[in-house]
Amino acid sequence: MHAIVLVLATILLGLWPARIGAQCDQCEGDFNGDGHVTIDELIVAVNNALNDCPMPGPRFVDNGDGTITDTKTGLQWEKKDSKDVEEPPEPIVCPGQPTCANPHDADNQYTWSAGGSGPDGSAFTDFLPKLNSGNGFAEHKDWRLPTVVELEGLVDYGQANPAIDPIFSAPCTSTCTVTTCSCTVPDFYWTSTAGVKVPEAESWTVEFDRGFVELFDPTLPHYVRAVRGGA
C-alpha cells in the first residue's frame, strides 16, 4: 500500500507545478516543518493535488456562542464585550464593582496575585471561577489564563490599536453582548506565566497596542482574556 502511495505521490507531485504553479505554496509536503516528509504528509499532499489544493479557510472562526476558535492552534478563546463606549474606556478594577458580575466585560481589570507570590489574585479567584461556574461558559468548565506564548500568538503586527485580528475587535456598543460584539482594549493582558524573581516576583503580560511582551508586579490590575484547550 505504501509503495502505491509513494508512486502516486511521485507522479502527482511531479505534475503538481504544471497544474497549479506558485499559487499553492501552503501545500508543500513538510507540513510540520521538521525537515522530513512522512507517508501521512505525502497522502495529504496527494489529496491536496487531487483537489487542486484548495485555499485554507480563515484562521479564526466565531462560534456564535461568545467564543472564537483558532484553527491554527486548536485553542478556543473567550470573546469580550463592553458597556463602556468611552474612548479610551475607563478601566474597572475587580472585584468590588457591580459591573464585575460580568466577567466578559473588556473593561474589567484583575490582579495576578494578592500577595505578590502565588497565582491567587482576582484573575484566579474572581474571573475564572465565574467562567467555570454552573454549566460553564459556552458549556465548558476548563477556562484558564493563556500562557505567554499562547497569548502572544494572537498579536497581529499588521494591525494596531489593537494589534490583533479584527475578529477580536469588532465595534462595541452599550447594548452589545459577548455573542454579538468582540472587544479588545489596546493595553496589557495577564498571562498564566510567572516570571523569574529578580529581585521581586513578576508575571508576564502581552500588550495589544503594539504587541509588547513585558513583566509586571503581579499585584497590579491588568486586563484578561480566557482560553481553553492546548496546555
Side-chain angles (χ1 to χ4, degrees):
M1 178 60 182
H2 286 173
I4 295 173
V5 171
L6 284 171
V7 171
L8 286 173
T10 301
I11 294 172
L12 288 170
L13 293 176
L15 294 174
W16 198 348
R19 297 176 60 209
I20 57 177
Q23 64 180 330
C24 211
D25 294 338
Q26 75 276 9
C27 290
E28 60 187 2
D30 182 16
F31 295 104
N32 61 11
D34 65 355
H36 302 280
V37 178
T38 66
I39 292 295
D40 288 340
E41 287 174 321
L42 277 175
I43 292 172
V44 172
V46 169
N47 287 332
N48 283 337
L50 291 173
N51 293 326
D52 288 328
C53 190
M55 292 294 290
R59 175 180 172 182
F60 297 106
V61 177
D62 190 324
N63 300 311
D65 59 358
T67 69
I68 293 171
T69 295
D70 183 345
T71 62
K72 179 179 178 180
T73 64
L75 294 173
Q76 187 175 16
W77 293 91
E78 173 210 11
K79 290 174 64 180
K80 310 298 288 190
D81 64 25
S82 179
K83 300 299 184 289
D84 188 348
V85 294
E86 295 180 16
E87 288 293 341
E90 186 68 27
I92 301 164
V93 180
C94 304
Q97 299 284 343
T99 49
C100 292
N102 173 21
H104 307 300
D105 193 324
D107 304 316
N108 291 356
Q109 292 187 335
Y110 300 84
T111 59
W112 197 93
S113 179
S117 55
D120 57 359
S122 56
F124 299 95
T125 62
D126 183 47
F127 171 63
L128 291 177
K130 281 187 172 72
L131 292 187
N132 292 317
S133 64
N135 293 327
F137 170 51
E139 299 186 352
H140 295 289
K141 304 179 69 173
D142 56 350
W143 294 98
R144 57 182 175 81
L145 289 191
T147 67
V148 66
V149 173
E150 290 170 337
L151 191 58
E152 188 181 9
L154 290 187
V155 174
D156 184 346
Y157 292 102
Q159 307 287 335
N161 194 35
I164 196 169
D165 189 280
I167 198 170
F168 290 94
S169 186
C172 286
T173 68
S174 60
T175 59
C176 74
T177 68
V178 72
T179 58
T180 61
C181 65
S182 186
C183 316
T184 297
V185 178
D187 210 321
F188 292 94
Y189 284 69
W190 282 122
T191 75
S192 63
T193 308
V196 179
K197 187 175 181 179
V198 283
E200 300 297 330
E202 294 182 309
S203 299
W204 287 103
T205 64
V206 176
E207 186 247 28
F208 283 95
D209 182 8
R210 288 166 289 179
F212 294 150
V213 177
E214 290 193 23
L215 285 165
F216 275 101
D217 179 339
T219 63
L220 295 176
H222 286 300
Y223 299 100
V224 292
R225 184 187 298 276
V227 71
R228 60 177 300 273

